Amino acid sequence: MAVTLQEIAERAGVSRGTVDRALNNRGRIRPEVADRIRQIAEEMGYRPNRAGKALAMARRSICIGVVLQEVETMFMRGILEGIEAAREELGHLGASVVLKEIKGLNTKAVIDAMEELRSQNVHAIAMNPSMNRRTKETIDRFADEYGIPIVTFNTDLEDCSRLCYIGQNTYECGRAAAGLMGEIIGGRGEVGVITGYEANPSLNKRVEGFRDEIAARFPEIKLVGVQYAYNSDAIAEDITRELVERHPEISGLFLTVNVEQGVCAALEKEGIIGRVKIISNDLNENNRKLLCDGNIAFVLEQNARVQGYEPIMVLFHLVFDGEKPQCEFQYTDLTIRTRYNLPPV
C-alpha cells in the first residue's frame, strides 16, 4: 500500500502541508526540517506519483472556493497572505482558488457567495462563518446534499456538517488572558471586556473562557460587563470612557478585537494610561507600538497566515489525494507577546 503524506507527517510530527512543501521543494521551510522529512519519507518507502495525478487534475480542473468575512480588519490581512500563498502553490499544480471577500459579518452575503461558488462548480469551500442558523443550514446542505466539503477557519460552527476547523482555540485563549490579567492586577479589582460582534462565535468563546477562568481562579476580581465595539476604534473609545466614568478604579481591560487605539486614546484623555492593564489579541503594527510604549501589557497572538493557507491545502489534498483531515480541530499555536519578545518587523 502506498505511503501517504499524512503518514509521513504523523511520523515527523509536522503538518501535511509541511511535508508537501519539503518533498516538492516549494514554500518556506527550515532546511533541517526538510532534510528530516525527506529522510523519513525515504525510510517509509514513499514514491511520488505526481505526473499521473497532475494529468488527472488537469482534466478535473480542481477549484477551491474561499469565503472571507471581516476582510477589512487588520488581522484578516495575515489570513489573506496565507490564502494567496496557497493560491500560488496550487496554481503551479493546475488548480485554482476563488476568493469571495465580505466586509463585516453578513449572513446573506455569505450564503450568496456560497451559492455563487457552487454555480462555478468549486470542489470544496473554506470559510469563516458567523453564528447564525441560516449559515449552519447552508453548510449542512452544501456538505450533505451537494457533496461540497466545507472547512471552517478562524471562526467555527461545531454543530453542523463542516469537515474540520483550523484556527485558534479561542476558549483557551480567553482562559490564558484571564490568568495573565489576574496575575498583573494582583488578583483583585474591576475588569472590563470589549469585544467585536455578537454573532462572532470565536470572540464569544474568548469571552466565555475569560469569564470562566476569572470565576474559577480569581473570585476577588469583578467583571463589569461585556461591551460590543463592532471592530470600531471610535465605539471602543466611547465604551472605555463610559466604563471609567462608572468604574473609576477599574484595573484592567481584555480586548478580544483590535480596538486598542480607541481604548488607549480614552485612557490617555482620562490620565490613566498604563494604570489600567490591557490585554489584547493579534499582533499588528498598531498594537506593536502600544506594546513597546507600555500602554498594552500583553498581546495574545495566533497564526493568521496558517489559518489562510492550511484550509485550502487540506481541501486540495482531500479532493486531489483523497486524504481526509488528520483531526476535527487543528489548533494554531498561542503565543504571548510582551515588549521583550517581539518578532522582527
Side-chain angles (χ1 to χ4, degrees):
M1 184 175 178
V3 176
T4 67
L5 297 183
Q6 182 58 47
E7 290 171 332
I8 298 171
E10 291 172 358
R11 175 79 68 86
V14 299
S15 72
R16 182 174 48 215
T18 300
V19 172
D20 185 65
R21 291 193 293 278
L23 297 182
N24 292 284
N25 298 309
R26 61 172 176 267
R28 291 181 293 181
I29 181 171
R30 294 200 307 275
E32 62 272 20
V33 175
D35 289 342
R36 184 167 63 87
I37 290 171
R38 293 189 192 104
Q39 181 178 350
I40 290 173
E42 183 176 353
E43 292 171 355
M44 295 179 69
Y46 173 74
R47 293 294 179 269
N49 185 25
R50 286 289 178 183
K53 288 184 176 180
L55 178 59
M57 184 170 61
R59 290 172 180 166
R60 297 177 66 188
S61 300
I62 290 178
C63 181
I64 308 297
V66 181
V67 180
L68 182 64
Q69 296 194 88
E70 297 186 285
V71 70
E72 74 282 2
T73 62
M74 296 188 72
F75 177 74
M76 291 304 170
R77 296 177 191 174
I79 285 187
L80 282 169
E81 289 180 7
I83 292 171
E84 291 305 321
R87 191 206 298 267
E88 180 180 358
E89 189 166 325
L90 294 190
H92 295 311
L93 295 172
S96 61
V97 175
V98 179
L99 172 64
K100 301 294 182 182
E101 300 182 7
I102 298 170
K103 290 185 177 180
L105 297 181
N106 187 323
T107 298
K108 182 179 183 304
V110 167
I111 294 174
D112 288 346
M114 293 175 70
E115 291 291 353
E116 186 176 350
L117 289 170
R118 183 169 74 92
S119 71
Q120 296 174 355
N121 297 317
V122 299
H123 292 83
I125 296 175
M127 62 185 297
N128 61 328
S130 52
M131 193 166 58
N132 182 277
R133 178 181 57 81
R134 291 179 58 209
T135 303
K136 292 180 182 179
E137 292 173 351
T138 304
I139 291 174
D140 289 341
R141 186 170 70 254
F142 271 57
D144 301 334
E145 295 182 23
Y146 305 148
I148 299 176
I150 307 287
V151 166
T152 58
F153 62 89
N154 188 247
T155 59
D156 189 28
L157 292 176
E158 294 183 34
D159 53 342
C160 67
S161 297
R162 62 99 173 95
L163 189 63
C164 70
Y165 165 71
I166 299 174
Q168 186 186 64
N169 185 331
T170 48
Y171 181 82
E172 292 303 319
C173 171
R175 290 188 63 221
L180 292 169
M181 183 67 76
E183 295 295 335
I184 60 176
I185 67 172
R188 61 178 53 131
E190 296 179 322
V191 173
V193 177
I194 299 178
T195 188
Y197 287 88
E198 298 169 77
N200 188 314
S202 288
L203 300 186
N204 292 340
K205 284 287 188 180
R206 281 180 183 169
V207 174
E208 182 184 350
F210 187 82
R211 181 188 289 121
D212 288 352
E213 190 68 7
I214 289 292
R217 289 195 53 206
F218 304 102
E220 294 185 64
I221 292 179
K222 178 183 178 182
L223 292 184
V224 293
V226 176
Q227 304 289 330
Y228 296 92
Y230 306 102
N231 298 331
S232 167
D233 278 299
I235 294 175
E237 183 173 353
D238 290 339
I239 289 172
T240 305
R241 187 176 62 253
E242 291 171 4
L243 276 173
V244 172
E245 288 175 358
R246 293 198 307 268
H247 307 278
E249 299 303 317
I250 191 168
S251 302
L253 289 169
F254 174 45
L255 315 181
T256 72
V257 290
N258 294 142
V259 290
E260 301 90 354
Q261 287 190 309
V263 170
C264 288
L267 295 178
E268 189 167 13
K269 290 176 183 177
E270 297 293 329
I272 54 175
I273 189 75
R275 179 182 73 75
V276 178
K277 304 304 180 185
I278 297 174
I279 297 176
S280 186
N281 283 270
D282 307 325
L283 190 66
N284 56 55
E285 58 190 80
N286 289 337
N287 58 26
R288 171 187 284 268
K289 183 177 186 307
L290 293 169
L291 193 61
C292 288
D293 292 342
N295 296 333
I296 295 177
F298 300 103
V299 172
L300 305 181
E301 189 178 16
Q302 54 181 317
N303 196 322
R305 193 177 188 278
V306 166
Q307 294 182 45
Y309 176 87
E310 284 294 338
I312 296 171
M313 300 308 295
V314 163
L315 289 170
F316 169 73
H317 285 293
L318 175 70
V319 177
F320 185 26
D321 297 314
E323 294 184 18
K324 295 182 179 180
Q326 55 186 342
C327 58
E328 181 181 0
F329 300 99
Q330 299 184 27
Y331 293 130
T332 56
D333 292 336
L334 173 64
T335 303
I336 300 172
R337 295 293 183 187
T338 73
R339 64 194 300 182
Y340 303 108
N341 71 338
L342 289 171
V345 179

